[in-house]
Amino acid sequence: MNGSRPVKATAPQTMSGALCPSPLPAGESVLLGHGSGGKLSAELIHEIFLPTFDNPALALLNDQAMVSVNGIRLAFTTDSFVVKPLFFPGGDIGSLAVHGTVNDLAMGGATPLFLSAAFILEEGLPLDTLRQISASLQEAARACGVAVVTGDTKVVEKGSGDGLFINTSGIGVVHHDLALSAGNARPGDKVLVSGPLGDHGIAILAQREGLALETAIQSDSAPLHNLVAALLATGASFRCFRDPTRGGLASTLNEIAAQSQVGIELQEHRVPVREQVRGACELLGLDPLYVANEGKLVAIVKAEDAETALGALREHPLGREAEIIGTVINGPAGRVTVRTTLGTARMLDMLSGDQLPRIC
Amino acid sequence: MNGSRPVKATAPQTMSGALCPSPLPAGESVLLGHGSGGKLSAELIHEIFLPTFDNPALALLNDQAMVSVNGIRLAFTTDSFVVKPLFFPGGDIGSLAVHGTVNDLAMGGATPLFLSAAFILEEGLPLDTLRQISASLQEAARACGVAVVTGDTKVVEKGSGDGLFINTSGIGVVHHDLALSAGNARPGDKVLVSGPLGDHGIAILAQREGLALETAIQSDSAPLHNLVAALLATGASFRCFRDPTRGGLASTLNEIAAQSQVGIELQEHRVPVREQVRGACELLGLDPLYVANEGKLVAIVKAEDAETALGALREHPLGREAEIIGTVINGPAGRVTVRTTLGTARMLDMLSGDQLPRIC
């Protein structure tokens, strides 16, 4: 209980300069940006959590841990949900809590099996709200073919929470023998995205701020495990799957580029973004490449398999608008660039600050 | 997103009248007591969660779900921790988050293997506090032989949380072939407890209220998986293990009596309670049988194996003060009674209301 820093500070070998900032100064406090999924989140992870919990499964920094029990390969993941508001176009905190955790398992190519659901309730929350959200959570779980097998409920005093927070953790089983990891991208690989970006973040923001957008934008919240299974069934050589949630596509690609020690170059005109989302982003001064998604995946695949992968994505209802958006290059390690239609290039850094707090 | 109740309302057959209250009225709100581990918690579970998430693993209402993956038996559990204050005599929210989840696995006779750790941080929390608590969590995990393999961090605005909340979920592997369940107690069985009751609750309360107790009472927060392994190694016929956390011994025994459709009779003079805890309880108007423990277990065992079990408990550092405290009887299903030294008997109901909110 003294204030000294943890002593086991061995950083994993896969960390790059871009994701390994100078230590957080002592005396600092938690900022909203520490939950953004961007630079400040990475600082917390690299300065506090990785050195403290130092172990190989965690050090891979994937969306899920791969562990082995008596020879069975399991994926294990956890996510807390603090999204505000609780209900939004296209979903609610209950369905989101299922999709988020199912997708973290799916990004490891795992078949999701079991979920836990733990609720932190604020005194005064209407029980009808809890009923609705529990029913939505269960309906989403049923649709994914997973069972909520264990749970927990805590209550905090009025003013010490915000309605309700949900943690879901999940277990999946891994049948493939690919080594999927954000550290596996190689120069020449292609970058695919399963559909248009930014829907979730803009749907939440529009709801929260009461924006009267011309067309209501729905969250893309959806479970991706069947889409991943379809991709794996092609036999293509995938390097990794990621769902670009908090921090958006830009932060996800920065993580992959840093962990793989490669560059990534995007073709701007290839990156799908709905017109309404682009319009809302212009209105709000946001870049859709930094806005959260909850039903999209990024796949890194060996170049010769890119068209096969694209075909498999487009055959699936959740991948109809998939595109090959870029290439892994032998450029400066950790650098992501966007080549515009005019031929110029701009750097795409990780998200700084707290563009959209409490998006999931 | 309508306000109707979930339709899949089949309740498990193991529920008894005592744990199956009349439906919560519509329009009601969450009360602090819904997190107490007592009557109101049971109402939430039986009226909302069980009918909604209806599945056999959950319906057993054990501290952990038992699931099977390719023939391997796994235990899976989740717990959120909202204890206040974050640091208390004998531990902190970090070590507690490990012990609580390890113990939920241990009560199923599982060997704990992997933990997740998910943090909900309030904006403004000193990073040094996060460092200290992460280090404590890791130290507790290391001491238990479990690895924190996956994690998550969310941040909420100042005033929307309370410093930090932690969720830990855990996976363990089950090697024994006993059917351990709170529904398995049979008339004649003996009830054992591994040591004196109420230390954790009184330690938290004393710290929170700034009580100047004569002797500082330490939380009993401790991992019980090795103690359970020692018990299982005796080959005794155990019916179930439970750790009497929120709601205390009284609530735990009420759950067992209800789920097993039996009565339980305690011998008051056999129930171990430290003098200081008894004194503090008298001062505060609390009954130690309702006060939370975080390093004690209750075991129900076949009568002829009770002395063997007691011997194994007392040989272990965490069970030196173990006692046989009562008997399962063929009395009214779900009723727990305490026989006093004077020969009179009193009913020991589940905890009502919110005796000690945010104890874990």
Side-chain angles (χ1 to χ4, degrees):
Chain A
M1 307 230 303
N2 62 48
S4 65
R5 302 255 316 272
V7 286
K8 293 211 295 174
T10 317
Q13 295 302 310
T14 49
M15 280 174 27
S16 86
L19 276 182
C20 186
S22 51
L24 300 168
E28 291 279 283
S29 296
V30 169
L31 307 171
L32 278 175
H34 283 119
S36 66
K39 263 187 189 164
L40 284 170
S41 297
E43 283 179 21
L44 262 198
I45 291 170
H46 287 276
E47 202 269 320
I48 298 185
F49 296 129
L50 280 186
T52 304
F53 302 129
D54 186 28
N55 68 68
L58 191 68
L60 288 174
L61 289 176
N62 287 321
D63 290 339
Q64 71 303 118
M66 289 294 174
V67 297
S68 183
V69 181
N70 295 3
I72 309 281
R73 282 177 75 208
L74 298 175
F76 182 31
T77 191
T78 191
D79 248 327
S80 293
F81 296 84
V82 299
V83 64
K84 185 178 169 178
L86 297 176
F87 300 90
F88 48 82
D92 57 58
I93 191 173
S95 55
L96 186 64
V98 171
H99 297 158
T101 290
V102 161
N103 289 348
D104 281 347
L105 295 173
M107 294 308 112
T111 305
L113 298 176
F114 307 109
L115 291 187
S116 62
F119 296 83
I120 298 177
L121 310 176
E122 186 191 12
E123 185 186 12
L125 177 81
L127 285 177
D128 273 342
T129 304
L130 181 61
R131 283 191 189 96
Q132 272 183 268
I133 285 168
S134 300
S136 169
L137 193 157
Q138 166 62 14
E139 176 50 30
R142 192 202 54 73
C144 293
V146 298
V148 179
V149 292
T150 188
D152 179 56
T153 309
K154 295 293 189 305
V155 180
V156 296
E157 310 87 333
K158 203 161 179 62
S160 293
D162 194 7
L164 99 150
F165 303 143
I166 302 179
N167 177 283
T168 48
S169 299
I171 299 177
V173 63
V174 183
H175 293 301
H176 66 80
D177 50 10
L178 294 173
L180 296 170
S181 180
N184 289 353
R186 296 287 168 269
D189 289 350
K190 292 296 176 187
V191 182
L192 285 79
V193 68
S194 63
L197 298 171
D199 296 9
H200 178 74
I202 295 301
I204 297 284
L205 200 66
Q207 173 86 354
R208 198 190 291 169
E209 308 296 335
L211 294 184
L213 301 172
E214 266 182 48
T215 317
I217 296 164
Q218 298 255 321
S219 166
D220 59 342
S221 180
L224 297 169
H225 58 301
N226 289 332
L227 186 60
V228 171
L231 288 173
L232 290 174
T234 63
S237 292
F238 290 101
R239 312 298 198 182
C240 81
F241 301 114
R242 276 289 172 106
D243 55 338
T245 55
R246 285 183 290 175
L249 178 74
S251 299
T252 297
L253 292 183
N254 268 276
E255 287 171 15
I256 294 172
Q259 287 175 241
S260 296
Q261 296 279 289
V262 295
I264 293 179
E265 189 173 87
L266 298 186
Q267 301 298 321
E268 190 170 50
H269 68 284
R270 287 288 189 193
V271 179
V273 179
R274 292 185 205 291
E275 267 319 302
Q276 307 100 295
V277 170
R278 199 180 293 282
C281 280
E282 276 171 17
L283 200 69
L284 297 160
L286 299 174
D287 181 338
L289 301 190
Y290 289 92
V291 178
N293 311 277
E294 292 290 345
K296 295 298 178 315
L297 68 79
V298 171
I300 310 285
V301 65
K302 219 171 162 177
E304 55 260 45
D305 291 339
E307 287 297 333
T308 304
L310 183 66
L313 281 171
R314 288 187 174 170
E315 270 176 32
H316 192 280
L318 293 174
R320 294 233 184 288
E321 297 166 86
E323 294 288 351
I324 299 173
I325 59 171
T327 307
V328 177
I329 59 172
N330 208 342
R335 178 176 295 179
V336 181
T337 48
V338 183
R339 196 153 292 277
T340 67
T341 40
L342 302 172
T344 60
R346 63 181 168 103
M347 278 265 302
L348 199 63
D349 205 348
M350 289 201 86
L351 177 65
S352 313
D354 52 344
Q355 193 185 36
L356 295 170
R358 297 185 59 183
I359 209 73
C360 61
Chain B
M1 309 234 300
N2 63 49
S4 66
R5 303 254 316 272
V7 285
K8 291 210 296 172
T10 318
Q13 296 302 311
T14 48
M15 278 174 28
S16 87
L19 276 181
C20 186
S22 50
L24 300 168
E28 291 278 283
S29 296
V30 169
L31 308 172
L32 279 176
H34 283 119
S36 67
K39 264 187 188 163
L40 283 168
S41 297
E43 283 179 22
L44 264 197
I45 291 170
H46 287 276
E47 204 268 322
I48 298 185
F49 296 130
L50 280 187
T52 303
F53 302 130
D54 186 29
N55 68 69
L58 191 68
L60 288 173
L61 288 176
N62 287 321
D63 290 338
Q64 73 303 117
M66 288 294 173
V67 297
S68 183
V69 180
N70 295 4
I72 309 282
R73 282 177 75 206
L74 298 176
F76 182 32
T77 192
T78 191
D79 248 326
S80 294
F81 296 84
V82 299
V83 65
K84 187 177 170 177
L86 298 176
F87 299 91
F88 48 83
D92 58 58
I93 192 172
S95 54
L96 186 65
V98 171
H99 297 158
T101 291
V102 161
N103 289 348
D104 282 348
L105 295 173
M107 295 306 114
T111 304
L113 298 176
F114 306 109
L115 291 186
S116 62
F119 296 82
I120 298 177
L121 310 176
E122 185 190 12
E123 185 186 13
L125 178 80
L127 285 177
D128 273 341
T129 304
L130 182 61
R131 282 191 190 96
Q132 271 183 268
I133 285 168
S134 300
S136 168
L137 193 155
Q138 166 61 14
E139 176 49 30
R142 193 202 52 73
C144 293
V146 298
V148 179
V149 293
T150 188
D152 179 55
T153 309
K154 294 294 189 306
V155 180
V156 296
E157 309 88 332
K158 204 163 179 58
S160 292
D162 194 8
L164 98 149
F165 304 143
I166 302 180
N167 177 283
T168 48
S169 299
I171 299 177
V173 63
V174 183
H175 293 301
H176 65 79
D177 51 10
L178 293 173
L180 296 169
S181 179
N184 288 354
R186 296 287 168 269
D189 290 349
K190 291 296 175 186
V191 182
L192 285 78
V193 68
S194 63
L197 298 171
D199 296 7
H200 178 74
I202 295 300
I204 296 286
L205 200 66
Q207 174 86 353
R208 197 189 293 169
E209 308 296 335
L211 293 184
L213 300 172
E214 265 182 48
T215 317
I217 296 164
Q218 298 255 320
S219 166
D220 59 341
S221 180
L224 296 169
H225 58 301
N226 289 333
L227 186 60
V228 171
L231 288 172
L232 290 174
T234 63
S237 292
F238 290 101
R239 311 300 197 180
C240 80
F241 302 113
R242 277 290 173 105
D243 56 338
T245 55
R246 285 183 291 175
L249 178 75
S251 300
T252 297
L253 292 182
N254 267 275
E255 286 172 16
I256 294 171
Q259 287 176 241
S260 295
Q261 296 279 289
V262 294
I264 293 180
E265 188 174 87
L266 298 186
Q267 301 298 320
E268 190 171 49
H269 69 285
R270 287 287 189 192
V271 180
V273 179
R274 291 185 207 291
E275 267 318 302
Q276 305 101 294
V277 170
R278 199 181 292 283
C281 281
E282 276 170 17
L283 200 69
L284 298 160
L286 299 174
D287 182 339
L289 301 188
Y290 289 93
V291 177
N293 312 277
E294 291 291 346
K296 296 298 177 316
L297 68 78
V298 172
I300 310 286
V301 65
K302 218 171 163 178
E304 55 260 47
D305 291 339
E307 287 296 335
T308 304
L310 183 66
L313 282 171
R314 288 187 175 171
E315 270 175 33
H316 192 280
L318 293 174
R320 295 234 184 286
E321 297 166 87
E323 295 286 350
I324 299 173
I325 60 172
T327 307
V328 178
I329 59 173
N330 208 341
R335 178 177 296 179
V336 181
T337 49
V338 183
R339 197 154 291 279
T340 67
T341 41
L342 302 172
T344 60
R346 63 182 168 102
M347 278 263 304
L348 199 64
D349 206 349
M350 290 200 87
L351 177 65
S352 313
D354 52 344
Q355 194 185 35
L356 295 170
R358 297 187 57 185
I359 210 72
C360 61

